[in-house]
Amino acid sequence: MRVLLIGANGYLGRYVADRLLADPAVQLTALGRGDDADVRFDLATGSPGALTRFLDAVHPGVVVNCAGATRGGARELTRHNTVAVATICESLRRSSCGARLVHLGCASEYGPSQPGSSTAEDAVPRPGGPYGVSKLAATELVLGSGLDAVVLRIFSPVGPGTPAGSPLGRLAEAMRRAMQSGDNELKLGGLGVQRDFVDVRDVARAVHAASLSAAQGVVNIGTGRAVRLREAASVLARVAGFGGALHELDSPPARLVIPGPSPEHPVGSPPATSPYPDGCGTWQQADVRTARDRLGWRPRIGLEESLADIWMEAACRI
């Protein structure tokens, strides 16, 4: 099976590439903007015609799209998350390769949900910010393309490679600073948010399964269990060996607040704050029955292992 992977150097794409390369039946070609891609191509600015010519030359059986942007203004998010997907869909429609498209969406497309509920694929999307809007527009393009296509809506990916600016990445970095400076307490805010954390390696397994399946439409990829950030912080403290106290500050429930000195926020400056970037409010939990029934996929890696890997990377930073 010849697979064209778009966005192989991103957080999710790296693990998808590893998973696909582990399958001896897969011949993988990576397309991206970086110099280390097999083929350099910028989806946000490249023409559908140019990509069509490449598809006709390579003739992949599956195209996997892991590319996109998670941060930036509305214009930038639209360019990288929506326009890029429009280019992929139009190129596949023009091409003679007849490739199947596996597109990575995200749970931000759903927006806030009722606490205690599990969000299924038939839920009406109500994204709470420009990121979710740009990703939902991309999903609608894929679903309306007439292609053999499936959209995997990834909930909150965690594990090795988790960006340092993400909520769990910031928790790990704050704990590293506290242990390095000998602080016996860590003050955190905004830990009431609950998310469905799924390990990035399990996401890669889901992409592999979707590539081999005939499933179409939207498929949620999560664990089916929401975890409070407060609980994740406690687990992280345990795997890190942090023996100090965790004190929760009063703060808006959808914000993670980590006060204290840092190069960007020296002593005496206001606390460093970072809004939870997905626009999904205080609760999100996946209904994952479709992934089980149509992909034969279940998550395997628990949150403690994911957090241990996040901590290992944070602890190695100088």
Side-chain angles (χ1 to χ4, degrees), residues 90-271:
E90 181 60 25
S91 301
L92 284 169
R93 279 195 296 264
R94 295 182 187 181
S95 173
S96 62
C97 69
R100 171 173 172 77
L101 174 60
V102 179
H103 171 68
L104 270 61
C106 71
S108 297
E109 298 172 40
Y110 289 122
S113 56
Q114 186 68 27
S117 66
S118 293
T119 304
E121 290 85 355
D122 60 358
V124 177
R126 295 186 176 89
Y131 172 65
V133 169
S134 69
K135 292 293 289 184
L136 177 60
T139 290
E140 295 297 338
L141 286 169
V142 171
L143 298 180
S145 67
L147 300 169
D148 174 14
V150 62
V151 176
L152 303 183
R153 274 195 178 137
I154 314 302
F155 275 63
S156 298
V158 295
T162 294
S166 70
L168 289 179
R170 287 179 62 81
L171 279 173
E173 177 60 18
M175 201 162 290
R176 184 194 68 80
R177 291 202 310 261
M179 295 176 70
Q180 189 176 48
S181 62
D183 293 341
N184 61 2
E185 65 176 7
L186 187 59
K187 297 179 180 180
L188 305 168
L191 298 183
V193 171
Q194 297 181 71
R195 288 293 181 269
D196 189 331
F197 296 109
V198 57
D199 192 273
V200 66
R201 292 157 292 193
D202 281 333
V203 172
R205 287 180 43 249
V207 173
H208 187 206
S211 300
L212 300 173
S213 78
Q216 295 187 336
V218 176
V219 179
N220 288 341
I221 302 300
T223 65
R225 174 177 176 259
V227 175
R228 198 179 300 272
L229 271 177
R230 183 183 304 113
E231 178 183 340
S234 297
V235 173
L236 186 63
R238 184 171 70 250
V239 300
F242 177 68
L246 296 177
H247 297 296
E248 187 169 2
L249 304 173
D250 292 331
S251 64
R255 298 178 71 87
L256 173 65
V257 181
I258 301 176
S262 71
E264 296 81 12
H265 299 276
V267 175
S269 69

Side-chain angles (χ1 to χ4, degrees), residues 1-25:
M1 179 174 65
R2 189 180 296 276
V3 178
L4 175 64
L5 175 59
I6 303 171
N9 293 324
Y11 172 40
L12 298 179
R14 291 195 299 272
Y15 291 95
V16 171
D18 289 344
R19 179 70 186 185
L20 293 173
L21 286 169
D23 183 345

